[in-house]
Amino acid sequence: MHVTVISPEASIFDGEADALVAPAYDGQVGILPHHAPFMTLLGRGKLVVRAAGGTLQFHVQGGFLQVVNDRVRIVADHVKGEANA
């Protein structure tokens, strides 16, 4: 599946992934390839993206997560982690 993580400041990650776990406003959600269409508000916590090159971890706060047609879009109010450490 294709995963895009963006914040107001920059595009943080854009690539293929095998799985991800994200902090929804009411608990953790896991997303695998071919997930049904889905949308949720993000809470605060650790976003883990398992990609071919390894596992990436980000701390996200606020925003939303959307899954449509094997594409995951994460638009977070705040992101800290791998790409901007």
Side-chain angles (χ1 to χ4, degrees):
M1 68 186 160
H2 191 87
V3 176
T4 303
V5 180
I6 61 173
S7 75
E9 294 81 28
S11 176
I12 307 299
F13 176 79
D14 188 31
E16 295 300 312
D18 300 323
L20 72 84
V21 176
Y25 74 97
D26 60 350
Q28 297 289 317
V29 295
I31 307 292
L32 296 172
H34 310 295
H35 195 285
F38 177 72
M39 186 166 197
T40 189
L41 293 173
L42 290 175
R44 178 188 314 184
K46 189 186 316 183
L47 168 66
V48 180
V49 179
R50 193 176 75 206
T55 300
L56 304 172
Q57 295 186 28
F58 308 94
H59 181 82
V60 297
Q61 181 177 342
F64 67 89
L65 177 149
Q66 177 189 46
V67 181
V68 177
N69 296 328
D70 216 29
R71 291 186 163 276
V72 181
R73 291 178 189 89
I74 297 168
V75 179
D77 295 337
H78 302 283
V79 181
K80 284 185 179 178
E82 296 278 346
N84 52 356

